[in-house]
């Protein structure tokens, strides 16, 4: 969270492209942050945060979308995203992950998450317990193993299912 403009917050993802407004706008679109920017009084020139007079404070989910836009700017071949959608609503998360594979094509992406809606789409899931790797595989492989991943998945899924009498 940089107390600078939207352009700066996103452009810092690739300093060589920092002044490429078209590239920044594409990253904002890719991150699902177009509405966030559109609703700001000065659009891409809006200073974010309340440190400076006139700055606009964003919600946690809005900051996450700006952070994701910064990540989509980077030319890096390895991305590390720690709970990238934890503060966004379910619809925004679904929309983002529909585009996620295409946006990260050709890159290695480490996605840290406790949400199974997020990790299901990963090619390879690494399950940690007390700092140790206990299982590795795809979603379907890990469900079939009936280990820790399967237990956690079923537990989380149960919280979304209605009680049956």
């Amino acid at each position: 969270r940089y107390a600078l403009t939207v352009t700066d917050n996103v452009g810092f993802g690739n300093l060589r492209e920092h002044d490429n407004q078209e590239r920044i706008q594409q990253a904002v679109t890719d991150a699902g942050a177009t509405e966030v920017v559109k609703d700001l009084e000065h659009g891409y020139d809006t200073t974010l945060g309340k440190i400076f007079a006139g700055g606009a404070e964003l919600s946690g989910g809005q900051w996450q979308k700006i952070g994701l836009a910064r990540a989509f700017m980077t030319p890096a071949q390895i991305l590390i995203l720690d709970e990238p959608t934890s503060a966004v609503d379910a619809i925004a998360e679904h929309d983002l992950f529909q585009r996620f594979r295409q946006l990260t094509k050709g890159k290695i992406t480490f996605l840290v998450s406790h949400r199974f809606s997020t990790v299901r789409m990963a090619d390879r899931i690494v399950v940690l317990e007390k700092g140790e790797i206990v299982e590795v595989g795809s979603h379907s492989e890990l469900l079939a193993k009936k280990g820790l991943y399967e237990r956690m998945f079923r537990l989380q899924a149960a919280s979304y299912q209605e009680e049956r009498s």
Side-chain angles (χ1 to χ4, degrees):
R1 296 182 181 189
Y2 300 107
L4 297 166
T5 66
V6 172
T7 294
D8 287 332
N9 270 272
V10 177
F12 286 161
N14 185 343
L15 292 178
R16 291 184 181 165
E17 296 289 325
H18 180 270
D19 295 324
N20 183 340
Q21 198 62 35
E22 185 177 315
R23 178 87 169 80
I24 288 170
Q25 289 174 352
Q26 185 60 54
V28 165
T29 299
D30 292 344
T34 304
E35 290 298 315
V36 173
V37 177
K38 190 174 96 176
D39 290 342
L40 295 171
E41 186 176 352
H42 302 290
Y44 286 89
D45 294 326
T46 303
T47 298
L48 301 179
K50 289 293 189 179
I51 292 176
F52 299 111
E57 188 55 65
L58 302 180
S59 70
Q62 290 171 322
W63 274 114
Q64 269 189 319
K65 288 178 180 182
I66 296 297
L68 282 170
R70 183 171 44 251
F72 291 145
M73 283 288 294
T74 184
Q77 293 303 298
I78 298 174
L79 296 175
I80 301 172
L81 304 174
D82 186 2
E83 298 287 0
T85 59
S86 63
V88 298
D89 63 70
I91 294 169
E93 179 186 41
H94 180 266
D95 180 50
L96 176 65
F97 283 117
Q98 291 300 310
R99 297 186 317 273
F100 192 76
R101 279 194 188 274
Q102 185 61 36
L103 295 171
T104 59
K105 192 172 187 143
K107 297 183 180 196
I108 296 170
T109 306
F110 292 93
L111 185 62
V112 179
S113 183
H114 293 88
R115 293 167 68 165
F116 288 94
S117 59
T118 301
V119 301
R120 286 183 73 149
M121 62 101 173
D123 296 322
R124 185 176 313 154
I125 300 166
V126 178
V127 182
L128 301 174
E129 183 177 39
K130 298 179 184 175
E132 300 286 327
I133 296 174
V134 294
E135 294 175 327
V136 177
S138 68
H139 174 73
S140 57
E141 291 168 345
L142 292 173
L143 286 180
K145 284 183 180 179
K146 299 204 179 288
L148 178 61
Y149 180 89
E150 189 266 346
R151 287 193 308 275
M152 291 188 304
F153 177 81
R154 300 280 178 227
L155 186 63
Q156 196 171 92
S159 68
Y160 291 108
Q161 297 173 348
E162 292 183 41
E163 288 185 34
R164 297 179 186 179
S165 34

